[in-house]
Amino acid sequence: MIIAFIQRAIIQGIPLLFGSTGEIITEKSGNLNLGTAGVMYVGGISGVIGAFLYEHSVETVNPILAILIPLLSCVVGSALMGLIYALLTVT
């Protein structure tokens, strides 16, 4: 049970590891972005919403669209949140 918990924690922590690694690299250039995790969370929530809306709007689910629609909604949600964060912090 404890080994399964550790395995899941590592697997679920990998996206945050990528975000924090990117943040470390940007901090070396002099920028500080404390909203990296929040932008990733909004992207994840947008992907879940996109998948939910797609699966409940059609009768037969196309597997390609079931991957592309959440992926695109995730990218759009992250981009919008990043733009809002940049607007609020830069101005």
Side-chain angles (χ1 to χ4, degrees):
M1 184 166 126
I2 196 86
I3 294 175
F5 174 75
I6 293 172
Q7 289 174 344
R8 287 185 197 150
I10 290 172
I11 289 171
Q12 292 179 355
I14 287 173
L16 292 175
L17 180 66
F18 287 145
S20 61
T21 303
E23 177 59 27
I24 289 170
I25 292 170
T26 24
E27 276 190 34
K28 287 190 175 267
S29 69
N31 295 328
L32 177 63
N33 183 4
L34 295 177
T36 305
V39 171
M40 290 191 313
Y41 289 139
V42 168
I45 290 170
S46 300
V48 169
I49 291 171
F52 178 79
L53 291 176
Y54 172 68
E55 288 177 2
H56 288 294
S57 67
V58 295
E59 291 180 14
T60 58
V61 176
N62 184 353
I64 294 173
L65 288 178
I67 293 173
L68 287 179
I69 289 176
L71 183 67
L72 290 175
S73 62
C74 177
V75 168
V76 169
S78 295
L80 286 176
M81 190 63 200
L83 287 173
I84 291 170
Y85 185 79
L87 179 73
L88 291 174
T89 57
V90 172
T91 55

